[in-house]
PDB file of all heavy atoms in Angstrom:
ATOM      1  N   ILE A 479      16.428   6.699 -21.842  1.00 98.00           N
ATOM      2  CA  ILE A 479      15.700   5.656 -20.924  1.00 98.00           C
ATOM      3  C   ILE A 479      14.593   6.399 -20.350  1.00 98.00           C
ATOM      4  O   ILE A 479      14.676   7.544 -19.901  1.00 98.00           O
ATOM      5  CB  ILE A 479      16.670   5.224 -19.711  1.00 98.00           C
ATOM      6  CG1 ILE A 479      17.938   4.622 -20.146  1.00 98.00           C
ATOM      7  CG2 ILE A 479      15.877   4.343 -18.656  1.00 98.00           C
ATOM      8  CD1 ILE A 479      17.664   3.267 -20.827  1.00 98.00           C
ATOM      9  N   ASP A 480      13.403   5.759 -20.346  1.00 98.00           N
ATOM     10  CA  ASP A 480      12.258   6.435 -19.699  1.00 98.00           C
ATOM     11  C   ASP A 480      12.216   6.189 -18.247  1.00 98.00           C
ATOM     12  O   ASP A 480      12.133   5.037 -17.828  1.00 98.00           O
ATOM     13  CB  ASP A 480      10.943   5.886 -20.379  1.00 98.00           C
ATOM     14  CG  ASP A 480      10.864   6.267 -21.847  1.00 98.00           C
ATOM     15  OD1 ASP A 480      11.193   7.461 -22.153  1.00 98.00           O
ATOM     16  OD2 ASP A 480      10.489   5.402 -22.673  1.00 98.00           O
ATOM     17  N   VAL A 481      12.277   7.242 -17.414  1.00 98.00           N
ATOM     18  CA  VAL A 481      12.172   7.057 -15.994  1.00 98.00           C
ATOM     19  C   VAL A 481      10.688   7.516 -15.394  1.00 98.00           C
ATOM     20  O   VAL A 481      10.409   8.705 -15.485  1.00 98.00           O
ATOM     21  CB  VAL A 481      13.256   7.878 -15.226  1.00 98.00           C
ATOM     22  CG1 VAL A 481      13.179   7.654 -13.634  1.00 98.00           C
ATOM     23  CG2 VAL A 481      14.642   7.399 -15.699  1.00 98.00           C
ATOM     24  N   TYR A 482       9.976   6.466 -15.304  1.00 98.00           N
ATOM     25  CA  TYR A 482       8.624   6.708 -14.862  1.00 98.00           C
ATOM     26  C   TYR A 482       8.336   6.489 -13.417  1.00 98.00           C
ATOM     27  O   TYR A 482       9.242   5.936 -12.784  1.00 98.00           O
ATOM     28  CB  TYR A 482       7.598   5.773 -15.656  1.00 98.00           C
ATOM     29  CG  TYR A 482       7.716   5.889 -17.147  1.00 98.00           C
ATOM     30  CD1 TYR A 482       7.288   4.934 -18.181  1.00 98.00           C
ATOM     31  CD2 TYR A 482       7.962   7.176 -17.756  1.00 98.00           C
ATOM     32  CE1 TYR A 482       7.185   5.093 -19.509  1.00 98.00           C
ATOM     33  CE2 TYR A 482       7.884   7.421 -19.038  1.00 98.00           C
ATOM     34  CZ  TYR A 482       7.490   6.421 -19.940  1.00 98.00           C
ATOM     35  OH  TYR A 482       7.429   6.552 -21.310  1.00 98.00           O
ATOM     36  N   ALA A 483       7.175   6.737 -13.016  1.00 94.00           N
ATOM     37  CA  ALA A 483       6.809   6.594 -11.585  1.00 94.00           C
ATOM     38  C   ALA A 483       5.661   5.586 -11.524  1.00 94.00           C
ATOM     39  O   ALA A 483       4.817   5.427 -12.396  1.00 94.00           O
ATOM     40  CB  ALA A 483       6.395   7.818 -10.862  1.00 94.00           C
ATOM     41  N   ASN A 484       5.694   4.784 -10.325  1.00 91.00           N
ATOM     42  CA  ASN A 484       4.509   3.901 -10.085  1.00 91.00           C
ATOM     43  C   ASN A 484       3.401   4.670  -9.413  1.00 91.00           C
ATOM     44  O   ASN A 484       3.812   5.378  -8.514  1.00 91.00           O
ATOM     45  CB  ASN A 484       4.966   2.708  -9.195  1.00 91.00           C
ATOM     46  CG  ASN A 484       5.897   1.693 -10.103  1.00 91.00           C
ATOM     47  OD1 ASN A 484       5.904   1.824 -11.322  1.00 91.00           O
ATOM     48  ND2 ASN A 484       6.486   0.811  -9.445  1.00 91.00           N
ATOM     49  N   MET A 485       2.162   4.324  -9.663  1.00 91.00           N
ATOM     50  CA  MET A 485       1.126   4.971  -8.842  1.00 91.00           C
ATOM     51  C   MET A 485       0.114   3.939  -8.367  1.00 91.00           C
ATOM     52  O   MET A 485      -0.272   3.075  -9.168  1.00 91.00           O
ATOM     53  CB  MET A 485       0.382   5.935  -9.828  1.00 91.00           C
ATOM     54  CG  MET A 485      -0.759   6.539  -9.380  1.00 91.00           C
ATOM     55  SD  MET A 485      -1.154   7.983 -10.311  1.00 91.00           S
ATOM     56  CE  MET A 485      -2.942   7.803 -10.372  1.00 91.00           C
ATOM     57  N   ASN A 486      -0.245   4.043  -7.169  1.00 85.00           N
ATOM     58  CA  ASN A 486      -1.315   3.082  -6.593  1.00 85.00           C
ATOM     59  C   ASN A 486      -2.681   3.738  -6.516  1.00 85.00           C
ATOM     60  O   ASN A 486      -3.625   3.090  -6.468  1.00 85.00           O
ATOM     61  CB  ASN A 486      -0.778   2.658  -5.197  1.00 85.00           C
ATOM     62  CG  ASN A 486       0.550   1.950  -5.335  1.00 85.00           C
ATOM     63  OD1 ASN A 486       0.828   1.214  -5.991  1.00 85.00           O
ATOM     64  ND2 ASN A 486       1.423   2.353  -4.312  1.00 85.00           N
ATOM     65  N   ASN A 487      -2.576   5.013  -6.334  1.00 82.00           N
ATOM     66  CA  ASN A 487      -3.823   5.757  -6.056  1.00 82.00           C
ATOM     67  C   ASN A 487      -3.822   7.045  -6.546  1.00 82.00           C
ATOM     68  O   ASN A 487      -2.700   7.761  -6.598  1.00 82.00           O
ATOM     69  CB  ASN A 487      -3.816   5.723  -4.431  1.00 82.00           C
ATOM     70  CG  ASN A 487      -5.023   6.351  -3.872  1.00 82.00           C
ATOM     71  OD1 ASN A 487      -5.560   7.362  -4.386  1.00 82.00           O
ATOM     72  ND2 ASN A 487      -5.511   5.705  -2.863  1.00 82.00           N
ATOM     73  N   PRO A 488      -4.874   7.602  -7.204  1.00 89.00           N
ATOM     74  CA  PRO A 488      -4.745   8.847  -7.829  1.00 89.00           C
ATOM     75  C   PRO A 488      -4.384  10.046  -6.793  1.00 89.00           C
ATOM     76  O   PRO A 488      -3.930  11.086  -7.243  1.00 89.00           O
ATOM     77  CB  PRO A 488      -6.211   9.156  -8.242  1.00 89.00           C
ATOM     78  CG  PRO A 488      -6.905   7.745  -8.415  1.00 89.00           C
ATOM     79  CD  PRO A 488      -6.162   6.884  -7.389  1.00 89.00           C
ATOM     80  N   SER A 489      -4.574   9.797  -5.513  1.00 81.00           N
ATOM     81  CA  SER A 489      -4.105  10.777  -4.612  1.00 81.00           C
ATOM     82  C   SER A 489      -2.602  11.094  -4.653  1.00 81.00           C
ATOM     83  O   SER A 489      -2.017  11.983  -4.089  1.00 81.00           O
ATOM     84  CB  SER A 489      -4.596  10.508  -3.165  1.00 81.00           C
ATOM     85  OG  SER A 489      -3.843   9.503  -2.791  1.00 81.00           O
ATOM     86  N   GLU A 490      -1.865  10.060  -5.232  1.00 83.00           N
ATOM     87  CA  GLU A 490      -0.385  10.233  -5.392  1.00 83.00           C
ATOM     88  C   GLU A 490       0.004  11.112  -6.573  1.00 83.00           C
ATOM     89  O   GLU A 490       1.209  11.412  -6.726  1.00 83.00           O
ATOM     90  CB  GLU A 490       0.248   8.779  -5.420  1.00 83.00           C
ATOM     91  CG  GLU A 490       0.018   8.030  -4.270  1.00 83.00           C
ATOM     92  CD  GLU A 490       0.215   6.507  -4.517  1.00 83.00           C
ATOM     93  OE1 GLU A 490       0.809   6.169  -5.590  1.00 83.00           O
ATOM     94  OE2 GLU A 490      -0.230   5.602  -3.704  1.00 83.00           O
ATOM     95  N   LEU A 491      -0.986  11.613  -7.284  1.00 92.00           N
ATOM     96  CA  LEU A 491      -0.623  12.397  -8.492  1.00 92.00           C
ATOM     97  C   LEU A 491       0.190  13.472  -8.262  1.00 92.00           C
ATOM     98  O   LEU A 491       1.271  13.768  -8.977  1.00 92.00           O
ATOM     99  CB  LEU A 491      -1.957  12.753  -9.272  1.00 92.00           C
ATOM    100  CG  LEU A 491      -1.741  13.525 -10.514  1.00 92.00           C
ATOM    101  CD1 LEU A 491      -0.961  12.716 -11.577  1.00 92.00           C
ATOM    102  CD2 LEU A 491      -3.085  14.004 -11.108  1.00 92.00           C
ATOM    103  N   SER A 492      -0.021  14.370  -7.272  1.00 90.00           N
ATOM    104  CA  SER A 492       0.701  15.493  -7.013  1.00 90.00           C
ATOM    105  C   SER A 492       2.247  15.204  -6.659  1.00 90.00           C
ATOM    106  O   SER A 492       3.207  15.783  -7.192  1.00 90.00           O
ATOM    107  CB  SER A 492       0.130  16.455  -5.964  1.00 90.00           C
ATOM    108  OG  SER A 492       0.026  15.819  -4.709  1.00 90.00           O
ATOM    109  N   GLU A 493       2.314  14.110  -5.937  1.00 86.00           N
ATOM    110  CA  GLU A 493       3.837  13.676  -5.596  1.00 86.00           C
ATOM    111  C   GLU A 493       4.565  13.280  -6.848  1.00 86.00           C
ATOM    112  O   GLU A 493       5.683  13.571  -7.063  1.00 86.00           O
ATOM    113  CB  GLU A 493       3.716  12.540  -4.663  1.00 86.00           C
ATOM    114  CG  GLU A 493       5.076  12.319  -3.904  1.00 86.00           C
ATOM    115  CD  GLU A 493       5.173  11.094  -3.015  1.00 86.00           C
ATOM    116  OE1 GLU A 493       4.092  10.461  -2.754  1.00 86.00           O
ATOM    117  OE2 GLU A 493       6.307  10.666  -2.709  1.00 86.00           O
ATOM    118  N   ILE A 494       3.762  12.526  -7.834  1.00 92.00           N
ATOM    119  CA  ILE A 494       4.292  12.163  -9.089  1.00 92.00           C
ATOM    120  C   ILE A 494       4.812  13.286  -9.814  1.00 92.00           C
ATOM    121  O   ILE A 494       5.874  13.353 -10.459  1.00 92.00           O
ATOM    122  CB  ILE A 494       3.349  11.207  -9.715  1.00 92.00           C
ATOM    123  CG1 ILE A 494       3.367   9.829  -8.997  1.00 92.00           C
ATOM    124  CG2 ILE A 494       3.745  10.947 -11.119  1.00 92.00           C
ATOM    125  CD1 ILE A 494       2.334   8.820  -9.494  1.00 92.00           C
ATOM    126  N   LEU A 495       3.822  14.296  -9.924  1.00 95.00           N
ATOM    127  CA  LEU A 495       4.145  15.486 -10.736  1.00 95.00           C
ATOM    128  C   LEU A 495       5.479  16.197 -10.235  1.00 95.00           C
ATOM    129  O   LEU A 495       6.353  16.667 -10.874  1.00 95.00           O
ATOM    130  CB  LEU A 495       2.978  16.518 -10.808  1.00 95.00           C
ATOM    131  CG  LEU A 495       1.758  16.028 -11.670  1.00 95.00           C
ATOM    132  CD1 LEU A 495       0.525  16.789 -11.395  1.00 95.00           C
ATOM    133  CD2 LEU A 495       2.093  15.790 -13.039  1.00 95.00           C
ATOM    134  N   MET A 496       5.538  16.306  -8.789  1.00 93.00           N
ATOM    135  CA  MET A 496       6.627  16.860  -8.153  1.00 93.00           C
ATOM    136  C   MET A 496       7.828  16.217  -8.403  1.00 93.00           C
ATOM    137  O   MET A 496       8.969  16.733  -8.452  1.00 93.00           O
ATOM    138  CB  MET A 496       6.341  16.977  -6.680  1.00 93.00           C
ATOM    139  CG  MET A 496       5.295  17.770  -6.288  1.00 93.00           C
ATOM    140  SD  MET A 496       5.664  19.312  -5.453  1.00 93.00           S
ATOM    141  CE  MET A 496       6.422  18.594  -4.066  1.00 93.00           C
TER     142      MET A 496
END
Side-chain angles (χ1 to χ4, degrees):
I479 304 294
D480 295 317
V481 180
Y482 292 159
N484 288 349
M485 174 163 141
N486 303 314
N487 187 310
S489 67
E490 293 160 14
L491 180 62
S492 56
E493 198 190 344
I494 289 176
L495 291 171
M496 297 246 300

